[in-house]
Amino acid sequence: MQEDIEYDVLTIQTPKRARWYTRLWPSCLGHGCSCRKRRGQQRKFPLYLIGYDPIGELQRAASVGDVTSIEQFMNSQEHHVDEHDTKHRTPLHYACAHNHPDVVKYLLSKKACIDVQDDEGCTPLMKATQRDNVECVSILLIAGANPHLMDLSGNTALHHAVSRGNTTIASKLLEYNANIEAKTECGLTPFKLALFEEKYQMAQFLKQNGAIAPLEVESY
């Protein structure tokens, strides 16, 4: 409980950098932007884990990968495949957040809504990306998940992959035509976000895959 309190009151301070993209920082504060890291300091709890403790029995089964129980719930007709909690998080969200590919496949076979968004605008694809769950990401993309959707802060799944520094997932998203120049509400493209979060290997990867680099940062 004490750790939760400390996390909730954590104050973010503007990083003191000379680079051009520091001008974007004030506009990100208070908007849940992916720009949430400063040099030498990280949040104690990843934002993408908050709220993903399941409450309903169907969500609990999805979060632990219990396909058998999910099948029983579906067969009983007492639950719907897109049944959601108060945060609009469906079993597919939970399966992707907790990395259970078999559950993802089963739910999709039952016509689960693949692009459903929770109260933060996150899709199952975004949740899988935030947790570095490559197999879940692949399953969703093959099944037709939309990589262009944005959460409430304007982040696409590619932005989340960049924030995680996961070039494997970023590559998969680009294979399915994710917009490499999509901008968040802060005005950050994936390339600019990579620089802002000091993910220079990711920035180079994006540039090699066609990202437009501003003249100020052509050396990256």
Side-chain angles (χ1 to χ4, degrees):
M1 177 61 72
Q2 182 62 34
E3 289 183 340
D4 289 339
I5 294 174
E6 292 175 354
Y7 175 77
D8 288 338
V9 300
L10 182 63
T11 300
I12 304 175
Q13 297 181 352
T14 302
K16 299 183 183 301
R17 300 177 184 168
R19 300 183 189 274
W20 61 271
Y21 45 82
T22 58
R23 298 194 302 271
L24 297 170
W25 179 257
S27 65
C28 294
L29 296 178
H31 292 286
C33 180
S34 290
C35 313
R36 58 180 181 273
K37 176 181 174 183
R38 61 173 297 191
R39 188 186 300 273
Q41 181 182 34
Q42 293 181 330
R43 291 183 182 274
K44 292 183 179 180
F45 303 102
L47 288 178
Y48 52 79
L49 286 178
I50 295 176
Y52 270 81
D53 295 324
I55 298 175
E57 56 185 4
L58 182 55
Q59 285 83 3
R60 282 197 297 271
S63 70
V64 298
D66 189 351
V67 177
T68 300
S69 292
I70 294 173
E71 289 177 339
Q72 292 174 349
F73 291 142
M74 292 294 97
N75 292 334
S76 71
Q77 298 184 343
E78 294 180 2
H79 297 272
H80 189 272
V81 68
D82 290 325
E83 177 179 303
H84 60 78
D85 58 19
T86 57
K87 300 293 185 180
H88 298 284
R89 291 158 185 173
T90 66
L92 189 57
H93 278 110
Y94 282 98
C96 290
H98 293 276
N99 195 24
H100 295 296
D102 290 342
V103 175
V104 173
K105 290 178 181 177
Y106 176 78
L107 293 171
L108 292 176
S109 75
K110 294 297 181 180
K111 309 300 181 184
C113 181
I114 197 170
D115 290 323
V116 61
Q117 293 178 282
D118 65 15
D119 67 337
E120 295 177 339
C122 283
T123 63
L125 179 61
M126 292 177 191
K127 298 314 299 182
T129 299
Q130 289 172 338
R131 298 298 304 276
D132 299 318
N133 297 334
V134 178
E135 188 173 356
C136 289
V137 167
S138 296
I139 293 169
L140 291 166
L141 288 171
I142 291 171
N146 185 350
H148 305 300
L149 295 178
M150 297 180 175
D151 63 22
L152 297 187
S153 295
N155 300 297
T156 64
L158 183 56
H159 285 95
H160 289 292
V162 168
S163 186
R164 297 292 298 162
N166 195 318
T167 55
T168 299
I169 290 181
S171 179
K172 287 184 178 295
L173 291 166
L174 291 174
E175 286 177 17
Y176 283 82
N177 301 314
N179 184 2
I180 202 168
E181 296 300 326
K183 293 182 180 180
T184 68
E185 66 176 16
C186 305
L188 295 176
T189 63
F191 180 82
K192 291 179 181 178
L193 177 61
L195 294 183
F196 189 89
E197 296 206 343
E198 300 178 343
K199 302 287 195 317
Y200 300 125
Q201 183 179 357
M202 176 63 79
Q204 184 63 30
F205 166 82
L206 292 170
K207 187 176 178 181
Q208 291 172 349
N209 281 273
I212 299 173
L215 294 178
E216 300 96 316
V217 291
E218 275 294 330
S219 58
Y220 285 98

